[in-house]
Amino acid sequence: MSGESDIPFVEETGHEEPDETSGFREQPDFERLEASPTVDELFAPASDEPPFSRCVLTTSLHLSVAAESRTNRWTDWNGYTTPEILTTIDDEYRALRQAAALSDISPMVKYRISGRDAASYLDRLVADNVMRLSVDEVMPVVFCEDRGFVVGDGHLFRLGESEYRLVTEETHLAWLLDSALGFQVHVEDVGAALAALSLQGPHAAAVLNAAGFYDIETIRPYAARWFDLGGIPVYASRTGATGELGYELWVDPEDAPMLWARLFDKGAEFGLAATGYAVRELARIEAGIPRVGCDYLGAFAAVDLADASTPFELGLASLVDLESGHFTGRDALRRLKQREPRHLVVSMALDFPEPVQFCAVEREGAIDGTATSIGFSPALGLNLALARLRYRTGPVALSVEVDFREGLSVRRLKIPARLLTEAVIGSPMRHAVPAPLLAEF
Amino acid sequence: MRLADRSFDAIVIGGGHNGLVAACYLAKAGKRVVLIEASDHLGGALATGEISPDYMISTAAHLVEAMPRRIEKELKLARNGLRFAARNVPAIALSRNKRHLTLSTRRRDLAALGQWNAHDAAALVEFLARLKSHATALRPFLLGAPPLSGGPSSEAATAFRKLVWRARRLGQPSFEDLLHALPASIGDIVDETFEMPLLRAAFAFEALRGTAEGPYSPGTAFNLIYRRALQLETKGASLPRGGMGALIEALRRSAESFGVAIKTGAAVKRIIVESGVATGVETVTGDFLRAPMTLSSVDPRATMLDLVGPACLDAGLAARLAQTSRRGATAKLNLALEGLPSIAGLSPEEYGARLLVVPPLNEFDQAFAAFKRGELSDEFAMEVTIPSVVDAALAPAGHHVMSILIQHVPYDVAGGWAGQRDRLLNRVIETLSRYAPDIRARIIAGEMLLPSDIEAKFGLAGGEWHCGEMRPDQLLMFRPAPELAQYRTPLQGLYLCGAGNHPGGISGLAGQLAAKVALSEGRRA
Ligand SMILES: Cc1cc2nc3c(=O)[nH]c(=O)nc-3n(C[C@H](O)[C@H](O)[C@H](O)COP(=O)(O)OP(=O)(O)OC[C@H]3O[C@@H](n4cnc5c(N)ncnc54)[C@H](O)[C@@H]3O)c2cc1C
């Protein structure tokens, strides 16, 4: 459950010095203590590192990734040390949008869900109809608690008849186990037992093809397949939240560095570059995908329910199927659907040629919402943001106030913002089947 | 004609008193009702059984304390044969030095107490008055569905504001006292109220009887207030003539007179749910019955998790239901006696009372500690009735039956029950012998029901009495869970009508209130 790492765990075995000052303390009767089984158990040497004992984790690809770093800029992702920027954000961004970008996404939270009732369990867990998911297919999912507030979202992979993988941004084990009552299902956190790489960009299929993923181009979006890479089994899915053609590769942590090296070996000629978390965030903002913990709070993380969101408020209505089987929150969502949402999480663009920071979003001069993710899109020359706005009907004239600094002087500007109704970046290639290999364009 | 071929407006699952009451009210309102009971007799934990031939006793519960007179009247229970051998049965705390205490404010009893301890006589008057005023403030809560809580509803807040207002109207000291009493332990309350150990222990037992709590467990003072509030609608504790089974028999006749079809020996296997609507039941024998409404008096946890199944419920609700606690803590001993055991200091008419055998509070607390550890305590608090004193037909002439509730008996005992049933029996008889030395010699036959026996015999999970412990966090709008507290369930057409719902106890109120809700929705639909 906790991260596996190659640093051996050293057990603290310092013997306590007898305390002189407390000579009156009764000495335990060790012989009797030893005889009693419960005491034996208490003092049994712990065979494993206790779960959650470690706060700083590294993935199996850490050394491979670190070798690519020119900046030594790291950040935290679910407790794992993750590169923020490896070279420069511009270079990494260019690789993503014009060539191919490889990143280590092992810190994603991954659950293996298996057992006789896995399908019906998941169907009750998530808001969409899981029954239509075939083996080697993937679907985006959102899951709610009883009141219809979103607990989290993620992607659901069907690996076999009764084996699934749920990949999420945050940990949800307690909720997944609570939901398992009455189902014959096994839920297991496989976060540390599975490495994951994300390969995104117009040349992604070409890189994989060159690396030995034959017929990779025939995988449809949201489908997946096993590949054998000279003895390394790799599960490749055509997924990734970047608005590009892209794949995610799921592999045993021990094999991950080898896969990484092989991709660089074969991918260099296609302009493959390693990228960090900053580009991942930027691509997500360009694609208009809210992230839990950032653009919205999970229902169990929100202290005030005003901070929790329904799927409708997140623009995830398409992931909710109120008609097929029961799922947690369905009754509540049926009622909520009749009502106006309280707020909406939206994408906005600011026509301003320099990157800026801001927080409040104003409507007709009054604060009406909060910008939760901000990024400057080099491709569009625009500031983009995800923001949570109070729900209003009628015309919207949005603006933000920014403090724009030039040298040592600062100007306070009011910049109009516009709502984006569809993603500003979305390569048509991402839907193409077969996916384009380099020769074809 | 087979039941499955007939058509019904309502199905009631479980033929305990609540199921019967619900069925009566539905049928009285013109519905065609079928009641299905798993066991081959009705009544659930309300039953009269034979200890040995000709010695009859209330097998489990032995007193009616909370059944409102209104229900008795509306269901014509008297006309259907219900008679009471005694009403307003007083409680007498037995004393080891033969100065027994009647827990009442009748002048004669008070005078006796006053001679012994003037402070406590005054304190008793004041204590009972306070108890009554708190109970009165709480009363309106108990006569209707509990307020809706959670979500945007302000019902619960309004209801509690009204409670505060009612309590305030009763005077400022009383209001503060209520606020103080709500989270307090009964032990702390009686310690600060009374001087005499016997009075302290007696009222502590009144609050704890049937619960899995100890005298110093927080929230136990509220138990006493709640129990008192339930009694406001009744004439105190009553002994039905013929034992608790007689109440069920009257309910059965009443139900049949209203046209309820009753089927015993047919356990429901599952409640049929079709796209979020409960449409009927399937029995273990494979019969299907369909009706637009189904009311279950079976434990709400079992109803929702076993008969409906978690797949049809939201995960949060299912998990919370699974966590509701059911710790049985009381055993029952029924004895057939040759002659009346003589309790020194007890006047002849007092043998018909509810006799409380209580150790001093510190020993009582130790009994609870032993219970928590899963051990047999040395001392037990007990409630003893000898119903044959007022209801001679229960035993052959000159002979008697005795019914004993033994508090703080664990469900599982360290070392297993096999060898310890007799140890428990011996300790109980030994304790009783301190008051009635001749009791051992008079025993002709007996039966002991441990919590596990109560579970097996009456289907009460964990041997816990109330299908969900009656403690503050599982009462009112939390009984059995906020979403289910108003007898409705997330499944259209399914209602909960048993003791696991508000207000609990042998009151029939859950059955009556659930029927009312079901009928009002039926009209709306
Ligand atoms: C020893 C003892 C002493 C008690 N003393 C008191 C007391 O002093 N005061 C008090 O308030 N309460 C007391 N109680 C608790 C009280 O008896 C119960 O709360 C009450 O009887 C519950 O009534 P009910 O009708 O709601 O449920 P029950 O009487 O439990 O009825 C439920 C019925 O449903 C049936 N059933 C279960 N499953 C199915 C199925 N699948 N299909 C069909 N039928 C099914 C059962 O057989 C049962 O008959 C005592 C209980 C015991 C055991």
Side-chain angles (χ1 to χ4, degrees), chain B residues 123-152:
Chain B
L124 181 66
V125 174
E126 208 257 334
F127 179 77
L128 290 177
R130 252 193 301 163
L131 185 60
K132 187 168 180 192
S133 95
H134 294 337
T136 311
L138 195 62
R139 175 190 204 172
F141 270 126
L142 303 188
L143 299 180
L148 190 64
S149 69

Side-chain angles (χ1 to χ4, degrees), chain A residues 68-328:
Chain A
E68 303 296 325
S69 178
R70 305 285 173 272
T71 62
N72 209 16
R73 286 178 62 184
W74 302 89
T75 185
D76 163 73
W77 185 6
N78 278 333
Y80 287 88
T81 300
T82 292
E84 169 83 38
I85 292 175
L86 288 164
T87 52
T88 71
I89 184 117
D90 285 349
D91 286 351
E92 291 177 32
Y93 182 79
R94 202 170 311 117
L96 170 67
R97 294 295 178 210
Q98 293 173 8
L102 184 66
S103 56
D104 174 17
I105 57 163
S106 306
M108 298 278 287
V109 179
K110 313 166 207 96
Y111 297 104
R112 178 175 181 268
I113 294 157
S114 57
R116 196 191 70 186
D117 295 341
S120 49
Y121 162 79
L122 287 162
D123 197 46
R124 206 275 297 254
L125 179 77
V126 309
D128 211 343
N129 179 1
V130 168
M131 296 306 187
R132 47 159 227 226
L133 189 69
S134 310
V135 175
D136 289 337
E137 277 186 0
V138 189
M139 65 193 277
V141 294
V142 60
F143 40 103
C144 303
E145 41 82 282
D146 295 18
R147 293 164 300 186
F149 293 113
V150 175
V151 173
D153 64 333
H155 282 86
L156 184 65
F157 295 69
R158 184 162 190 185
L159 305 178
E161 247 348 281
S162 48
E163 183 181 352
Y164 292 80
R165 178 183 304 145
L166 179 64
V167 179
T168 59
E169 190 67 38
E170 293 188 326
T171 55
H172 298 291
L173 191 61
W175 178 243
L176 296 186
L177 292 177
D178 270 358
S179 300
L181 179 77
F183 291 91
Q184 282 212 10
V185 69
H186 183 71
V187 181
E188 188 186 355
D189 184 336
V190 293
L194 188 67
L197 287 79
S198 174
L199 179 60
Q200 308 280 316
H203 297 180
V207 172
L208 289 176
N209 187 47
F213 288 79
Y214 298 120
D215 289 338
I216 185 79
E217 67 278 10
T218 59
I219 299 186
R220 313 176 67 81
Y222 286 105
R225 195 191 302 155
W226 279 103
F227 290 86
D228 181 352
L229 241 72
I232 302 178
V234 182
Y235 194 65
S237 57
R238 192 165 161 186
T239 47
T242 54
E244 282 302 333
L245 168 66
Y247 300 85
E248 287 168 327
L249 310 174
W250 311 87
V251 64
D252 191 287
E254 279 189 18
D255 298 335
M258 243 159 357
L259 177 61
W260 176 277
R262 187 184 177 93
L263 289 171
F264 270 102
D265 195 23
K266 305 291 177 189
E269 59 173 301
F270 302 95
L272 179 70
T275 57
Y277 196 72
V279 163
R280 183 181 170 80
E281 278 290 279
L282 183 53
R284 173 183 75 75
I285 295 167
E286 286 182 332
I289 300 169
R291 175 162 67 83
V292 65
C294 174
D295 302 297
Y296 75 94
L297 289 183
F300 299 127
V303 175
D304 184 346
L305 278 188
D307 294 337
S309 296
T310 69
F312 310 127
E313 291 166 341
L314 297 179
L316 299 178
S318 63
L319 305 187
V320 180
D321 177 354
L322 291 174
E323 296 319 312
S324 37
H326 183 77
F327 64 85
T328 299

Side-chain angles (χ1 to χ4, degrees), chain A residues 124 145-147 175 178-183 323 326-332 334 339, chain B residues 151-152 275-276 305 310-320 322-323 483 490-491:
Chain A
R124 206 275 297 254
E145 41 82 282
D146 295 18
R147 293 164 300 186
W175 178 243
D178 270 358
S179 300
L181 179 77
F183 291 91
E323 296 319 312
H326 183 77
F327 64 85
T328 299
R330 184 181 70 167
D331 298 344
R334 278 190 174 158
R339 290 209 218 121
Chain B
S275 32
L305 297 185
C312 300
L313 304 176
D314 286 352
L317 173 60
R320 260 175 293 125
Q323 279 157 10
E483 299 91 323
L491 306 168

